[in-house]
Amino acid sequence: MQDEEMVTQLPRMLYGEDERVTLLRQILKAMGQPDHAFSIIHVCGTNGKGSTSAMIAAILQASGYSVGLFTSPHIMAVEESIQINRQLISKAQFERLLATVQTVLKKLGFDPTTDLSYFETLVLVALVYFKQQQVDYVLWECGLGGELDATNAVDRVAYTLFTKISLDHMALLGDTIEAIATTKSKIIRPQTPVIVAPEQTKTTLHVLQAEAGRQSAPLQIASRDWLVTSHPTSAGQAVTIKLPERAPLTVSLALAGTYQLENLLTALTWYQQFCRDQGQVVDEAVLQRALGQVRLPGRFERLATEPLVVIDGAHNPDGIQQFVRSVQERYSDYDLTIVTGFLKDKAVAECLQLLTQLPANFILTTPINPDDRQLPVAELGALYTQITGQTAPEYPAIEAALKAANQSVRGPKPQVILVVGSFYLLKTVRQHFLS
C-alpha cells in the first residue's frame, strides 16, 4: 500500500476530542521521548507559518546545522511535510517508519487505524525520523490551534514563534481573535524565548504578552527597523535590511509576495536572538546564502511564463488581503484572470469580497477534497453574483477552468493567470503544469 493511501485511511481529525495531547505525550514517553534528541523551534499562527519556518530552516542550514522541517498541509504528497535540509523524506523511509510507529502503538494497546488521526500519526513519524537522522534543530509547525494541537505534545522547545494570528478555523478555535489567540498562546513554555510577528492586533498582543508573563517567558515583537527597502524581481524580491552597527545589506529573497516581508522580519528577529544565545553575531554570508535558496510551493509561486501563471494558497480573509496587496504591487500593469475555488468551511463570502477588489476576469471552480468539504461551484457562483451583481464562468472541473483562463480574451497588456484559494485547488493545478 502506498504511503499516501496508508495515512489518508486514518481518521482525518480528532482535534479537541478527549485528552489528545495528553495521550500523545504518554505515547512519546513510551517511545523513549524522540523529541529530546534535538532542539525544537515551535511555530504557531494563522498565516505565514510555513514561510517563516522555511526561512529559519534555511538560515540554520546555511549556518552548518542539520535541520528538520515539519509543516502542513502538504500540496502534492505527504512527504512534503517531513524534510531534512530541504530534502523530503523518501516514500520508502516514510512507509518503513509508519509501519514502525503503528507496531509500537499496537504494543501499547492502541488500534493505529482508529485511535490516532492522520495528523497525530504524522507527528510521531516525523519525530522518530528526525531522531534517527540525528538532526540538530527542528522547525515544528503547528497544524491547528495551539494548546490542543498534536505538535504541542513535545516535552520541551528552545524557541516559540508566532506568525500573524487572524480568524480561521473558527468552528474549532473560537469566533473571536481573543479566543483564537488564547488557544494559540498556550504553546508558550516556561522561560522559553518568544518571538512575535509584526502587525498583530492589540488583542492578540495582549493575550500573548499575558501568557508569556505567566510563563516568565521573554517576549520580543519583530521590528520593522530591519527593513529598509524592497522591490519585486523575477526570482522573488530584493530586500535591503539594516544590520546592527553595519551598513545595510541587500539580499535576494526567493519568495515573492509582499506578505513575505512580515515573515522575513520575524525570521530575522529570531536569528538575532539565536546569535545572542550562541555568543555569535549576525552573519551576512549566512543570510545571503539562506534567503536566496528558500522555496515553498503554493506561496505566490510562478508555474509558467507563457502565459504567466501564479498560484497562491490564500484561503482566509487575512491571507486573501495579503494576496491582493501582492497582486497590486507586482501586476498593476497586467490583465488579470483569477481562477478560484474554496472549501465550504472557510469564510468564502469575505474572501470573495476582498478578491473582487481586483480588476480581474474571474473563473470559478471546485477544489477536489477527499472529505467532501469542497464548496460546489454553483454555490460559489451565487456568492459571486450576490457580491458583484455580475456572473462569472463556472467550471466544476479544474482543468476546464484553466483551459478557459488560457483562452480568455487578450488585450494589449501582458496577461497573468492567478490561481488562488484552497490548497486542494493548487494541488490539481500544480499537477497539471508540472506533468
Side-chain angles (χ1 to χ4, degrees), residues 223-290:
S223 172
R224 286 203 166 273
D225 290 344
W226 285 99
L227 186 61
V228 180
T229 61
S230 67
H231 64 268
T233 65
S234 59
Q237 49 193 319
V239 184
T240 301
I241 56 178
K242 187 189 303 180
L243 297 177
E245 301 178 358
R246 275 174 281 178
L249 172 70
T250 299
V251 297
S252 174
L253 177 61
L255 292 172
T258 57
Y259 56 85
Q260 295 294 0
L261 296 177
E262 288 185 16
N263 300 326
L264 176 61
L265 294 174
T266 308
L268 289 172
T269 303
W270 169 83
Y271 181 45
Q272 185 178 51
Q273 178 66 52
F274 175 78
C275 288
R276 287 195 191 114
D277 294 341
Q278 299 296 315
Q280 303 169 353
V281 295
V282 170
D283 191 324
E284 298 181 12
V286 163
L287 292 177
Q288 291 280 18
R289 287 197 305 273

Side-chain angles (χ1 to χ4, degrees), residues 362-374:
F362 280 81
I363 294 175
L364 311 179
T365 189
T366 303
I368 300 171
N369 177 257
D371 301 326
D372 199 31
R373 291 163 54 213
Q374 67 272 14

Side-chain angles (χ1 to χ4, degrees), residues 9 26 30 39 107 116 127 234 283 315 355 372 392:
Q9 289 182 350
Q26 293 170 349
S39 295
K107 290 181 179 178
L116 263 70
L127 290 172
S234 59
D283 191 324
H315 56 266
L355 267 183
D372 199 31

Side-chain angles (χ1 to χ4, degrees), residues 30 41 44 59 66 70 85 99 102-103 137-138 156 181 183 187 197 202 213 224 247 291 300 361:
I41 301 167
C44 189
I59 289 170
S66 176
F70 179 76
N85 293 344
Q102 292 185 330
T103 298
Y137 289 91
V138 167
R156 57 196 179 202
T183 189
I187 71 164
K202 289 182 180 179
R224 286 203 166 273
L291 298 177
F300 225 77
N361 298 314

Side-chain angles (χ1 to χ4, degrees), residues 102-123:
Q102 292 185 330
T103 298
V104 171
L105 291 174
K106 289 177 183 177
K107 290 181 179 178
L108 294 175
F110 297 103
D111 182 342
T113 63
T114 58
D115 289 345
L116 263 70
S117 71
Y118 166 93
F119 187 71
E120 290 167 343
T121 303
L122 279 188
V123 163

Side-chain angles (χ1 to χ4, degrees), residues 316-368:
N316 56 47
D318 183 68
I320 292 290
Q321 190 172 49
Q322 299 288 352
F323 170 80
V324 168
R325 289 175 185 166
S326 297
V327 173
Q328 290 170 335
E329 179 184 86
R330 296 184 74 97
Y331 300 119
S332 60
D333 296 330
Y334 282 66
D335 277 331
L336 309 178
T337 298
I338 292 179
V339 179
T340 190
F342 294 90
L343 299 185
K344 59 188 175 185
D345 54 1
K346 299 298 179 181
V348 180
E350 192 172 349
C351 289
L352 271 184
Q353 188 80 52
L354 293 165
L355 267 183
T356 51
Q357 294 175 4
L358 292 170
N361 298 314
F362 280 81
I363 294 175
L364 311 179
T365 189
T366 303
I368 300 171

Side-chain angles (χ1 to χ4, degrees), residues 85 162 182 200 207 224 402 409:
N85 293 344
F162 292 97
T182 297
Q200 304 281 3
V207 168
R224 286 203 166 273
L402 291 174
V409 178

